[in-house]
Amino acid sequence: MASSSKYSKPPQPPPCFTATPKSLVEDTKRLIERSRGVQDGIAKDVTSDTASFASVNLPMAQDDNKMGIEAHIIGFYQAVSTDSGLRDASTEAEKLMDDFGIESSMREDIFKLVDAALNKNETLDPESRRLLEKNHKSYIRNGLGVPAGAKRDRFKDIKKRLSEIGITFQKNLNEEKGGLWFTPKDLEGVPEDVVTSLKKGEGENEGKVWLTYKYPELFPTLKYARNADVRKKVYMGNENKCNQNIPLFREAIVLRDEAARILGYPNHAAFRIEDKMAKTPETVDTFLGDLRERLAPGGLDEMGKLQKLKQEDLKRRGLDKSYDGHYFLWDHRFYDTLMLEQDFSLDQQTIAEYFPLSSTIRGMLKIFEDLFGLVFVEVTGASRDQVSPTGKGEDIVWHPDVQVFSVWDDEGEGSGFVGYLYLDLHPRDGKYGHAANFNLQPGYIDESGKRRYPATALVCNFSKPTPKKPSLLKHDEVVTLFHELGHGIHDLVSRTTYSRFHGTSTVRDFVEAPSQMLENWCWTPTQLKSLSKHYSYVSDAFKSAWQESGSNGSASQPPETMPDSLVKSIISTRHINDALFNLRQLHFGIFDMTIHEGSSHDAVEMMQISETFNRLRKEISKLDGPEVLGEGYGWGHGQATFGHLIGGYDAGYYGYLSSQVYSADMFYTVFKADPMNGKEGRRYRHTVLERGGSQDEMQTLVDFLGRKPSTEAFYRELGLS
């Protein structure tokens, strides 16, 4: 993390976040008009005889590049703005943009010219050739292979409605405000800093606190609340939040199936997987089925141990009469955590003391600097005014909590500018509720041959600091942060000609692999130690607050970096209850394939989606839900909160698991022996990350590994080979 003067003047200003609800919609209409003008111009001036990549595809690609500079940010406000008017306008703008995207993708006049250009078979550079072929294919996938008439019109209507559903579904999730009132006694066992941060009740709720379903409140409650009824209430509440999404989810599944059949596919999964690495649903089903078979015995074994632990725990607390032989969904996080504490002396609270958010991020950025040849310079105070296009530093962020970094190549890589990284790390009302990386501006090469640099944002929900304690991360949150930062780095270092292929714009069953591979650094002793710093060393205020609290029964300061014994206890737990964790991922993946592989359209229309979701969970993960208490399988609607399946991972959730095959192979083959090997890190940066989606992803893997990928490392890592 440098602050040298040579890194202080970026050649490109950061984006501004000064939009108003009115400007968002007006800017969107302006972008659409410009884009439509480009397409109209091509349709007017080019004929099938004069059609070529340069006359048809290139002007559209250049317009697409410029569009990304503004459009991504216009749609980003709905995920992060505190102003509901801005969020609503951002949502409206995204609808306009999506409608225009559908209109563009179904222009027969342009498709004929793209078709003519493809048939010319010109000699093009590989990335331009890929762009031409992908464009051509996307017109066909958007219905232009269907003869004009009622069927094609219906297809277009479906596309528009699916876009509306996607936007509304995510908006409902972002703005979800549910929760439950509890007394502090109900929440016995939940960490004190979580309970004291909750909203206090008044009137009839005097003496109670309001627990929401936001991650920093939900997960600690499911992990630590001793009262099983409280965990059940919280679990059930979370599975039944956002019920307005239930009909939207069903409608999306039915419409997708209809659209796929109009295009001549047997179902939506066949349509979606055709242009991914897996190519066919059969490949995916075989992979998931094989993994399920291999994991099932381990899952039952792990559950047996956890069940025994539950029985012992209830006996110790004099509650053995309440033990009914079941191991419930709302038991799992609690007993999983208890096992880690009891059998592996894994004290999550003590571990978190060594991962204050600010110093952990500095440690992570340092790892990325050393590995990839980067330099991160935080832009603060007067420097913000200097780089801001308006001269006002507050204009380059969307909220006062947001941090900005300018990112550069180090001297060995040529000291050039790379782009901007934004971190927005704490929850607030109306904000996107999970952890994700958002591209704000893509990189590309403009008409004059100059590089345009990217901007990327990490949006997370880690607990807020207090005057006495910084934001402290549990180890699993450290892994999440590293994972999302991995996507951010992919977004930053990508160097493609066209924004269409920039950064994480790869096929969905590869996109997680680079980030998943980087998670391994969170399980390496030297890296864990280098990331850790006890919070009492972060500032004098925290040091005295720590001593006042007589933390851990003693006021003498703990060691600055994490003791080896604690590091060892974290690493020893990496694969504890791993089979159950992966069976949970399999449940999501198999549910996703099941609902998108209907044998007929009637079968899809008749499908009982909530029941399917819960039945598959019981069959695959083996954990008991309310169905074992005689409530049937309709007790919850987890799919209504499952943003992935509406937000682009439809018939693609398996990608999290198949990406792990590639990530394990890359790590074991190249980095396992020496994770901080800078030479290999830079080779990885240039061979894998830089390419984005500009070449076939299998080719990228072969270039890096020197061979085709294999599943061996993945199964070995899971102890299944």
Side-chain angles (χ1 to χ4, degrees), residues 525-546:
T526 46
Q527 266 43 72
L528 264 180
K529 216 167 165 64
S530 78
L531 281 177
S532 70
K533 185 181 184 119
H534 194 277
Y535 79 84
S536 59
Y537 290 84
V538 175
S539 76
D540 289 340
F542 290 146
K543 179 176 182 174
S544 56
W546 192 87

Side-chain angles (χ1 to χ4, degrees), residues 104-120:
S104 302
S105 68
M106 297 188 74
R107 279 189 70 153
E108 187 137 26
D109 50 356
I110 301 285
F111 171 54
K112 282 181 172 151
L113 297 173
V114 171
D115 191 50
L118 183 73
N119 289 330
K120 295 264 163 72

Side-chain angles (χ1 to χ4, degrees), residues 173-247:
L173 280 178
N174 289 352
E175 301 192 346
E176 186 276 321
K177 286 193 168 67
L180 295 160
W181 288 107
F182 288 113
T183 64
K185 187 174 185 316
D186 291 333
L187 298 177
E188 189 195 342
V190 179
E192 189 190 346
D193 53 351
V194 175
V195 180
T196 53
S197 71
L198 300 177
K199 188 177 96 178
K200 313 281 181 285
E202 293 166 8
E204 61 177 304
N205 292 308
E206 184 79 45
K208 291 183 177 177
V209 288
W210 177 248
L211 185 91
T212 72
Y213 302 123
K214 301 274 183 278
Y215 283 8
E217 297 171 23
L218 173 77
F219 289 154
T221 306
L222 290 173
K223 282 180 177 178
Y224 296 107
R226 292 203 185 100
N227 184 329
D229 286 337
V230 167
R231 294 197 307 271
K232 180 180 179 181
K233 276 182 193 148
V234 171
Y235 187 92
M236 295 294 284
N238 187 55
E239 289 284 307
N240 286 288
K241 68 183 181 188
C242 269
N243 279 357
Q244 68 272 47
N245 278 350
I246 300 170

Side-chain angles (χ1 to χ4, degrees), residues 86-335:
L86 261 178
R87 291 199 302 270
D88 290 347
S90 170
T91 302
E92 188 191 334
E94 195 178 3
K95 282 188 177 140
L96 291 171
M97 204 66 91
D98 280 3
D99 283 351
F100 172 67
I102 293 163
E103 175 197 310
S104 302
S105 68
M106 297 188 74
R107 279 189 70 153
E108 187 137 26
D109 50 356
I110 301 285
F111 171 54
K112 282 181 172 151
L113 297 173
V114 171
D115 191 50
L118 183 73
N119 289 330
K120 295 264 163 72
N121 218 358
E122 302 167 271
T123 305
L124 297 168
D125 64 276
E127 191 177 333
S128 297
R129 158 72 44 196
R130 186 167 170 83
L131 184 72
L132 177 57
E133 288 171 357
K134 287 242 176 202
N135 272 357
H136 185 266
K137 182 74 180 166
S138 79
Y139 281 106
I140 292 171
R141 288 172 66 81
N142 278 300
L144 290 182
V146 178
K151 256 185 159 180
R152 190 195 286 181
D153 294 343
R154 173 64 184 150
F155 182 85
K156 186 174 179 176
D157 290 342
I158 290 175
K159 293 281 289 183
K160 283 198 163 166
R161 179 60 189 145
L162 282 170
S163 147
E164 282 169 14
I165 289 172
I167 292 167
T168 310
F169 190 96
Q170 189 55 55
K171 185 173 164 56
N172 290 340
L173 280 178
N174 289 352
E175 301 192 346
E176 186 276 321
K177 286 193 168 67
L180 295 160
W181 288 107
F182 288 113
T183 64
K185 187 174 185 316
D186 291 333
L187 298 177
E188 189 195 342
V190 179
E192 189 190 346
D193 53 351
V194 175
V195 180
T196 53
S197 71
L198 300 177
K199 188 177 96 178
K200 313 281 181 285
E202 293 166 8
E204 61 177 304
N205 292 308
E206 184 79 45
K208 291 183 177 177
V209 288
W210 177 248
L211 185 91
T212 72
Y213 302 123
K214 301 274 183 278
Y215 283 8
E217 297 171 23
L218 173 77
F219 289 154
T221 306
L222 290 173
K223 282 180 177 178
Y224 296 107
R226 292 203 185 100
N227 184 329
D229 286 337
V230 167
R231 294 197 307 271
K232 180 180 179 181
K233 276 182 193 148
V234 171
Y235 187 92
M236 295 294 284
N238 187 55
E239 289 284 307
N240 286 288
K241 68 183 181 188
C242 269
N243 279 357
Q244 68 272 47
N245 278 350
I246 300 170
L248 293 177
F249 192 93
R250 161 175 295 285
E251 192 185 348
I253 303 308
V254 172
L255 289 176
R256 285 169 180 168
D257 185 77
E258 185 184 347
R261 290 173 198 274
I262 290 174
L263 294 185
Y265 292 89
N267 51 48
H268 182 68
F271 166 72
R272 284 291 278 165
I273 295 168
E274 173 190 63
D275 63 351
K276 299 208 172 72
M277 289 174 85
K279 304 291 182 249
T280 68
E282 291 69 37
T283 308
V284 176
D285 292 336
T286 303
F287 168 65
L288 295 177
D290 180 44
L291 188 52
R292 181 179 177 179
E293 211 168 288
R294 290 181 186 230
L295 287 169
L300 288 172
D301 186 44
E302 288 169 7
M303 208 167 76
K305 291 177 183 157
L306 288 159
Q307 215 157 357
K308 191 161 173 270
L309 182 64
K310 176 179 175 178
Q311 202 173 355
E312 288 164 0
D313 170 57
L314 292 174
K315 191 173 178 187
R316 193 169 52 243
R317 293 198 271 147
L319 299 169
D320 35 347
K321 287 201 169 56
S322 67
Y323 181 65
D324 54 8
H326 288 299
Y327 185 71
F328 289 109
L329 290 160
W330 49 89
D331 286 331
H332 184 56
R333 281 184 196 268
F334 181 78
Y335 287 107

Side-chain angles (χ1 to χ4, degrees), residues 390-431:
T390 64
K392 286 192 203 155
E394 66 265 27
D395 288 351
I396 64 167
V397 291
W398 53 89
H399 189 272
D401 287 351
V402 175
Q403 292 170 270
V404 195
F405 296 83
S406 62
V407 187
W408 304 75
D409 287 319
D410 68 9
E411 279 178 27
E413 290 288 316
S415 302
F417 184 60
V418 173
Y420 290 100
L421 170 68
Y422 289 80
L423 304 179
D424 181 357
L425 301 172
H426 305 297
R428 35 175 204 273
D429 279 350
K431 182 179 159 182

Side-chain angles (χ1 to χ4, degrees), residues 35-68:
S35 206
R36 190 180 281 126
V38 169
Q39 292 170 29
D40 289 346
I42 294 167
K44 185 163 117 316
D45 301 337
V46 183
T47 65
S48 291
D49 292 340
T50 60
S52 66
F53 179 80
S55 67
V56 180
N57 285 79
L58 192 58
M60 290 196 294
Q62 288 166 342
D63 174 61
D64 200 32
N65 291 342
K66 289 194 205 101
M67 176 85 96

